[in-house]
Amino acid sequence: MSVASYGPVTAVREDRGRFGALRERRVLVYWPHGFGDWVHLGVLAPLLEPSNRYAVTRFGDDCVSLMQGSPHMFPLRSGVRANGDGALLGPAHLGLRLKECNGNLVTLQLPEPLHGEVTGFAPDTLLWTDYPETEGRTAYPFHTKARNAARLLVSAERLAALDLSQPLPCALDFTPPAKTQRLIDERLAPFAPPGTRIAAISRRGVTAARKSWGDGSEAREFARGFAQDWRFISMDDEDLGERGAGFRALFGDLDEPFGHVMRAFAQRLDLFVGVPAGPLHFVLARGGVPTVGVWAAHHPDWYDEPNPLAIHVVGKYVRDRKFDRRVATTTKPPALQHRLVYLDATAVGAEPVADAARALIG
C-alpha cells in the first residue's frame, strides 16, 4: 500500500482555545472515535465557526458514512470499512501523535484513497480531539459530552449567541440511500411480513461490559412478554427466542457501510431498546422511534439530548454512586430533562423495561 505526504497543515486539539479562534480555514477533522461519538458529532458540527469549511474522516468508513449528506462536514473515505488507526496501511493516525496537535505545522501521511480525498479538499488545518468524557462533571449548558466539546471548540462569543437552553438537533441526514433501503426491506420481508412489528434490542456495552443489560435472559424474557405480532432483532446477534433474529445474521453480508444500514433499519423500527452504545445514540438523535434506554452504570444526562419518544430506565447503582447528583443533572432546566424511571434494584429486569415500552407504544 502506497502512502503519500500532505502538508504542512496547522494541527490543533480542543485545549487552549486555539481552534475556536480560527476563521476562514479549511479544516480536516480527524475523529478516530466510535459510532455513537460520530452521532454526537452531528450535534456538535452546526455549532462550530461557520466561516470555516470542514471535512471529516477516520479509518472506519462504517462511521464516516454517517456524514453523507451533512451540510456541515464533508466525509472523506479511507477505504477501510471497520474502525482502526490505519496502522495496517501505513503510519497510525495519519502519522501524528495527539500531543503534537498544539498549533504546530505537521505533515500528514495518507494511504489511498484517503490521500486523494484529502488533497481534493485541500485542508490547511487539522483538528484531532480525544473527545473527553464528562461523566456528569460539567454543568448546564455544557452537561453532555458533545456540549462540553462545544465549550472547548467554539468561541465564547459564538456560544453566547446560541440558544443552548433547548434540545440541540442532530444535523445528520437520516434519510437512507434508496439502494440500501431496498436491500434492508428484502431481508426483513421473510422475517417480519406485513402485519408484524419490529423491535431492536441492543444489550451489550461495547466500550464497557458494566453497561450491558444483564446476561441476555432479561432481553429474552422481555421479548416473550410481547404479543405474537412482534418480531425482535438482536443488535448483538443473541438468541431472542422463536420470534427473534440477529442483526448480522440478517444484514452482515450486505456490502453497505453500517451508517447506511442503520439509516434504513431505523425506518422499519417500531421500538428500540438499548444500552448506551452507538445504536441507542443513533436512534435517540434520529427521533421518530419509541425508545427505551437501559442504564446500569451511566446516566443519560451525560450524553444525549432529550427525546419525547424516549424513556430511560436507570438501575440503582447509578443513584448509589450519586451520578444523578452531579452537576450535569442538577443544573439542567426543565426543557432539557429526560423521562427517567429510577429503579430500587441494581439489576434492570425485563418488567420495568417492558412497562416503559408499553407506555410509549400504547
Side-chain angles (χ1 to χ4, degrees):
M1 176 67 67
S2 62
V3 175
S5 299
Y6 179 90
V9 299
T10 302
V12 295
R13 52 183 184 262
E14 75 276 0
D15 61 344
R16 302 181 186 178
R18 289 192 180 99
F19 185 74
L22 298 178
R23 302 291 185 274
E24 305 291 340
R25 298 294 189 96
R26 299 182 66 85
V27 180
L28 173 61
V29 179
Y30 179 54
W31 197 255
H33 307 298
F35 191 80
D37 294 337
W38 277 76
V39 174
H40 293 157
L41 185 58
V43 175
L44 174 62
L47 308 180
L48 300 179
E49 166 58 41
S51 71
N52 299 322
R53 293 191 64 188
Y54 302 94
V56 63
T57 196
R58 72 154 298 160
F59 292 99
D61 291 342
D62 278 338
C63 289
V64 175
S65 63
L66 273 179
M67 284 292 165
Q68 180 173 312
S70 168
H72 302 284
M73 287 188 173
F74 187 75
L76 304 183
R77 298 174 302 112
S78 68
V80 179
R81 182 71 59 78
N83 291 347
D85 62 8
L88 296 178
L89 304 177
H93 297 302
L94 316 182
L96 299 178
R97 291 179 297 170
L98 182 60
K99 67 180 182 180
E100 295 173 334
C101 300
N102 58 2
N104 291 333
L105 290 174
V106 300
T107 298
L108 310 180
Q109 302 299 319
L110 305 169
E112 293 295 352
L114 187 57
H115 180 264
E117 301 225 341
V118 170
T119 301
F121 178 71
D124 53 49
T125 304
L126 178 134
L127 169 67
W128 176 9
T129 165
D130 62 359
Y131 194 32
E133 288 278 356
T134 64
E135 295 187 336
R137 295 184 176 91
T138 49
Y140 162 82
F142 307 119
H143 51 284
T144 70
K145 195 175 179 185
R147 285 170 175 253
N148 181 60
R151 178 179 65 87
L152 301 171
L153 295 173
V154 181
S155 69
E157 295 79 12
R158 178 162 171 77
L159 285 173
L162 299 171
D163 184 4
L164 301 177
S165 67
Q166 298 298 314
L168 299 177
C170 183
L172 298 180
D173 181 358
F174 289 98
T175 305
K179 172 193 172 187
T180 310
Q181 190 67 67
R182 176 179 56 80
L183 292 170
I184 295 301
D185 291 347
E186 288 174 354
R187 296 296 177 88
L188 285 174
F191 171 70
T196 57
R197 293 180 284 179
I198 300 175
I201 299 178
S202 176
R203 187 191 69 80
R204 291 184 181 175
V206 176
T207 56
R210 64 183 180 277
K211 296 194 297 186
S212 296
W213 181 24
D215 60 6
S217 60
E218 297 86 353
R220 289 189 294 274
E221 182 181 348
F222 172 87
R224 284 195 300 269
F226 276 69
Q228 291 297 311
D229 63 333
W230 281 90
R231 301 293 181 268
F232 298 90
I233 296 177
S234 168
M235 302 299 298
D236 313 293
D237 275 80
E238 295 181 328
D239 177 18
L240 293 176
E242 61 181 11
R243 289 178 288 141
F247 182 88
R248 292 172 187 80
L250 287 171
F251 311 123
D253 63 341
L254 295 179
D255 188 21
E256 296 285 314
F258 185 63
H260 292 350
V261 172
M262 278 300 299
R263 285 184 173 102
F265 183 52
Q267 291 281 105
R268 298 296 178 253
L269 286 179
D270 299 287
L271 177 66
F272 184 90
V273 177
V275 301
L280 175 68
H281 299 310
F282 177 92
V283 175
L284 287 173
R286 177 191 183 275
V289 178
T291 300
V292 181
V294 180
W295 300 79
H298 296 70
H299 199 288
D301 288 341
W302 303 352
Y303 298 104
D304 298 296
E305 300 291 315
N307 180 322
L309 286 180
I311 297 176
H312 300 280
V313 180
V314 184
K316 184 173 180 289
Y317 173 87
V318 175
R319 284 192 297 170
D320 285 347
R321 294 292 302 273
K322 298 182 179 180
F323 291 163
D324 60 322
R325 304 295 299 276
R326 291 185 178 175
V327 292
T329 297
T330 59
T331 59
K332 284 172 55 175
L336 296 177
Q337 298 293 332
H338 295 289
R339 296 171 66 184
L340 302 174
V341 176
Y342 287 112
L343 303 181
D344 291 328
T346 300
V348 179
E351 184 176 353
V353 177
D355 288 344
R358 293 190 175 98
L360 291 167
I361 62 179

